[in-house]
Amino acid sequence: MAFLRYAMFLCLVSMVFCQENMDVEFDLLPRPLIIEYPETRFKNMTEELLMQCTSWRVAVESNNLGPWITIPTECADYVEEYMSGRAYDFDLQTVSKEARVYAKSLELGDDGMDAWVFDVDETLLSNLPYYSDHGFGLEVFDCAQFDRWVVEGVAPVIKPSLKLYEEVSSLGFKIMLLTGRSEDKRNATATNLINAGIDEWDKLILRSESDQGKSAVAFKSEKRKEITDEGYRIIGNYGDQWSDLVGTSVASRSFKLSNPMYHIP
Amino acid sequence: MAFLRYAMFLCLVSMVFCQENMDVEFDLLPRPLIIEYPETRFKNMTEELLMQCTSWRVAVESNNLGPWITIPTECADYVEEYMSGRAYDFDLQTVSKEARVYAKSLELGDDGMDAWVFDVDETLLSNLPYYSDHGFGLEVFDCAQFDRWVVEGVAPVIKPSLKLYEEVSSLGFKIMLLTGRSEDKRNATATNLINAGIDEWDKLILRSESDQGKSAVAFKSEKRKEITDEGYRIIGNYGDQWSDLVGTSVASRSFKLSNPMYHIP
């Protein structure tokens, strides 16, 4: 029975696909039939769930959500497929391209005080190898485990961000790396960045002892203020969290990279 | 020949769908097969284009794009299907729900000075009937034509926004309607709002003669400053354009409603 059905199926497939030029009016279903089946993304999700999780992701990206601890359970497969498939990379490229167009459109001052701020995690370096072992944001963040990953210093570079970094460096922007990582990760972070191709910067700012306990918005706003107090103009800011970008002493223009895995307030 | 193929197809379909409980291992393709075919959304787009236009839309919603005049030509079908289908409404509901949770979580002052700001177009009132006749953002915006639509005063309410309006009104927030429409549209706008169920407000602020030519960010920042100078605290702000929300005198929390049809700087 199974063989018969298999044979009939193959027969049908060959007829459907091989006889496009015959005298056929066989449009019971929209054509082409199987070619449009979304094979690469979200293949096991209902339309309803796909819509729901996309809506949640857009709400994350447009800063509409309050603090959240983990991704919605029902969106676990969605986030995994988004991060592992081409869509995440596509989104990163879209933002990188826009930021490069912006950077190139500007006329820099002669004083060398035009600065571009970059966040590190999920901005220049990808922790996807770590998060793929931890449910892509479905597990509650474990600081100790994540720290062990950070000190390994093997996070791969995010290529569209590397491209922007190279562009703004060559244009003459001062590079300010501003990360929520703590000061004791300086060596691991610097080594990781250099190995990943981010090999020069003007400042690498991490959380010192006195910054512990501050929100990311407060910490990063303070550090941006210190940068501008030194006379720099923050022309661009590039980060995956809204807390990298908002607050005070904000950049002339900020770019939000996609990250549906975690939220830092 | 066509009849034979038709018969074989029906035969196959009935076998595939009616014999789930038989001794079958027939998983050549992921199951269920046709049920998951995305019938309602984006059915004529390739995966590549779907990814590209979704990426563009997310970039719009996360404020990553510079000024744009019309939607990308290749995304015309995408935007039409998004706006006409369930996804747009789903997204509006997601934001409305989040805003209502936020509003209800707050303890209002006793002085009656807690305010909630609403934009009008694509926030409280929908111009979808107009834009559906004008390519959903594919045509360059025509001020005179749009004005004729506005004075008709028949724009339908956006239901999830009405729900939020009712919620924040009943909680005791002062309602501030802040729109880029010009002062000569006051009567048409007020009548339209009342007929749509938005029947009370504390201020309806439109562009006066002296506001003409100002960017939306500048105009709305100034008007928010006037509101806060009167002693009000702007607790929430609800709009479909980033220019409704950013600038100075911003709300404690802002909510960005989806709008991939047009951009107001």
Side-chain angles (χ1 to χ4, degrees):
Chain A
M1 185 62 191
F3 171 78
L4 178 63
R5 291 172 69 196
Y6 189 54
M8 286 186 71
F9 178 78
L10 289 180
C11 174
L12 179 80
V13 166
S14 63
M15 290 170 76
V16 167
F17 283 96
C18 301
Q19 303 190 8
E20 286 287 348
N21 299 324
M22 285 185 61
D23 53 338
V24 180
E25 291 182 50
F26 191 66
D27 285 324
L28 252 182
L29 291 172
R31 305 292 302 280
L33 192 61
I34 291 172
I35 291 171
E36 282 194 351
Y37 187 90
E39 285 178 60
T40 50
R41 291 174 64 206
F42 313 124
K43 58 180 176 291
N44 294 317
M45 298 181 72
T46 62
E47 268 291 287
E48 190 72 19
L49 192 56
L50 179 56
M51 205 180 291
Q52 183 184 326
C53 296
T54 303
S55 193
W56 172 80
R57 185 169 75 81
V58 174
V60 168
E61 294 308 321
S62 49
N63 202 19
N64 279 332
L65 297 191
W68 49 278
I69 307 294
T70 59
I71 63 174
T73 314
E74 64 274 21
C75 297
D77 288 347
Y78 173 90
V79 173
E80 175 171 354
E81 292 202 41
Y82 170 77
M83 294 301 297
S84 312
R86 290 179 52 222
Y88 174 54
D89 185 57
F90 206 109
D91 285 346
L92 294 174
Q93 287 186 44
T94 299
V95 185
S96 167
K97 190 178 165 191
E98 188 72 20
R100 280 178 280 134
V101 168
Y102 166 67
K104 281 191 277 192
S105 75
L106 302 166
E107 195 161 329
L108 271 62
D110 296 330
D111 55 1
M113 298 303 275
D114 292 298
W116 196 287
V117 174
F118 286 92
D119 170 52
V120 172
D121 291 299
E122 267 55 69
T123 299
L124 292 173
L125 298 179
S126 171
N127 299 302
L128 207 46
Y130 175 84
Y131 283 100
S132 69
D133 287 341
H134 293 85
F136 296 91
L138 193 61
E139 292 178 18
V140 175
F141 182 71
D142 182 321
C143 190
Q145 271 192 325
F146 186 71
D147 279 358
R148 284 196 289 276
W149 156 257
V150 164
V151 295
E152 283 182 46
V154 294
V157 77
I158 292 183
K159 282 184 186 158
S161 302
L162 176 62
K163 207 165 173 180
L164 173 65
Y165 161 83
E166 288 169 344
E167 180 76 55
V168 297
S169 299
S170 76
L171 287 168
F173 284 93
K174 294 291 184 287
I175 306 294
M176 310 289 176
L177 310 184
L178 176 50
T179 171
R181 291 183 178 194
S182 56
E183 196 56 66
D184 61 344
K185 309 292 183 313
R186 178 175 290 275
N187 286 345
T189 302
T191 307
N192 196 155
L193 285 164
I194 291 166
N195 290 339
I198 313 284
D199 46 10
E200 278 190 75
W201 51 80
D202 296 275
K203 290 183 193 292
L204 169 57
I205 305 168
L206 302 99
R207 267 185 200 259
S208 66
E209 275 296 320
S210 63
D211 297 317
Q212 301 301 328
K214 290 175 187 166
S215 73
V217 172
F219 163 65
K220 296 204 164 183
S221 292
E222 276 177 31
K223 294 299 161 185
R224 283 194 304 270
K225 182 165 190 311
E226 289 175 19
I227 291 170
T228 55
D229 282 350
E230 286 182 49
Y232 292 104
R233 298 173 292 274
I234 303 180
I235 306 297
N237 190 359
Y238 206 67
D240 68 294
Q241 298 289 319
W242 279 99
S243 55
D244 296 330
L245 311 172
V246 300
T248 52
S249 305
V250 298
S252 304
R253 197 163 155 199
S254 297
F255 296 89
K256 166 70 176 77
L257 276 68
S258 175
N259 183 359
M261 297 190 298
Y262 58 85
H263 174 263
I264 300 176
Chain B
M1 184 62 191
F3 172 76
L4 178 63
R5 292 173 67 196
Y6 190 102
M8 286 185 71
F9 178 78
L10 289 182
C11 175
L12 179 80
V13 166
S14 64
M15 289 169 76
V16 167
F17 284 95
C18 301
Q19 302 188 8
E20 286 288 349
N21 298 323
M22 283 185 62
D23 53 338
V24 181
E25 291 181 49
F26 191 65
D27 286 324
L28 251 184
L29 290 173
R31 304 294 302 280
L33 192 62
I34 292 174
I35 291 170
E36 283 196 347
Y37 187 92
E39 285 177 60
T40 50
R41 292 174 64 207
F42 312 125
K43 57 182 175 291
N44 294 319
M45 298 183 72
T46 62
E47 268 292 285
E48 190 72 19
L49 192 56
L50 180 56
M51 205 180 294
Q52 182 184 326
C53 296
T54 303
S55 194
W56 172 80
R57 185 169 74 80
V58 174
V60 168
E61 294 308 321
S62 49
N63 201 19
N64 280 331
L65 298 190
W68 49 277
I69 306 293
T70 60
I71 63 173
T73 314
E74 64 274 20
C75 296
D77 288 347
Y78 173 90
V79 173
E80 176 172 352
E81 292 203 42
Y82 169 77
M83 295 301 297
S84 312
R86 290 180 51 221
Y88 173 53
D89 185 56
F90 206 108
D91 285 346
L92 295 174
Q93 287 186 43
T94 298
V95 185
S96 168
K97 189 178 164 190
E98 188 72 19
R100 281 177 281 134
V101 167
Y102 165 68
K104 281 190 278 191
S105 75
L106 302 166
E107 196 161 329
L108 271 62
D110 296 329
D111 55 1
M113 297 303 276
D114 292 297
W116 195 287
V117 174
F118 286 93
D119 170 53
V120 172
D121 291 300
E122 267 55 70
T123 299
L124 292 173
L125 298 180
S126 170
N127 299 301
L128 207 46
Y130 174 84
Y131 283 100
S132 69
D133 286 341
H134 293 85
F136 296 91
L138 193 63
E139 292 178 19
V140 176
F141 182 72
D142 182 321
C143 191
Q145 271 192 325
F146 185 72
D147 278 357
R148 283 196 290 276
W149 156 257
V150 164
V151 295
E152 283 182 47
V154 293
V157 77
I158 292 183
K159 282 185 186 157
S161 302
L162 176 61
K163 208 165 172 180
L164 173 65
Y165 160 82
E166 288 169 345
E167 180 76 54
V168 298
S169 299
S170 76
L171 287 167
F173 285 93
K174 292 292 184 288
I175 305 294
M176 309 289 176
L177 310 184
L178 176 50
T179 172
R181 292 183 176 193
S182 56
E183 196 57 65
D184 62 343
K185 309 291 184 313
R186 179 174 289 276
N187 287 345
T189 303
T191 306
N192 196 155
L193 285 164
I194 291 166
N195 290 339
I198 314 285
D199 46 10
E200 277 190 76
W201 51 79
D202 296 274
K203 289 181 193 291
L204 169 58
I205 306 168
L206 302 99
R207 267 184 200 260
S208 66
E209 275 297 320
S210 63
D211 297 317
Q212 302 300 328
K214 290 176 188 166
S215 73
V217 173
F219 163 64
K220 295 205 166 184
S221 291
E222 275 177 32
K223 293 299 162 186
R224 283 194 304 268
K225 183 166 187 314
E226 289 175 19
I227 292 170
T228 55
D229 282 351
E230 286 181 49
Y232 291 104
R233 296 172 294 272
I234 304 180
I235 306 297
N237 189 358
Y238 207 68
D240 68 295
Q241 298 289 320
W242 279 99
S243 55
D244 295 330
L245 311 173
V246 300
T248 52
S249 306
V250 298
S252 305
R253 197 161 155 199
S254 296
F255 297 89
K256 166 71 175 78
L257 275 70
S258 175
N259 184 358
M261 298 190 297
Y262 59 84
H263 174 262
I264 300 175

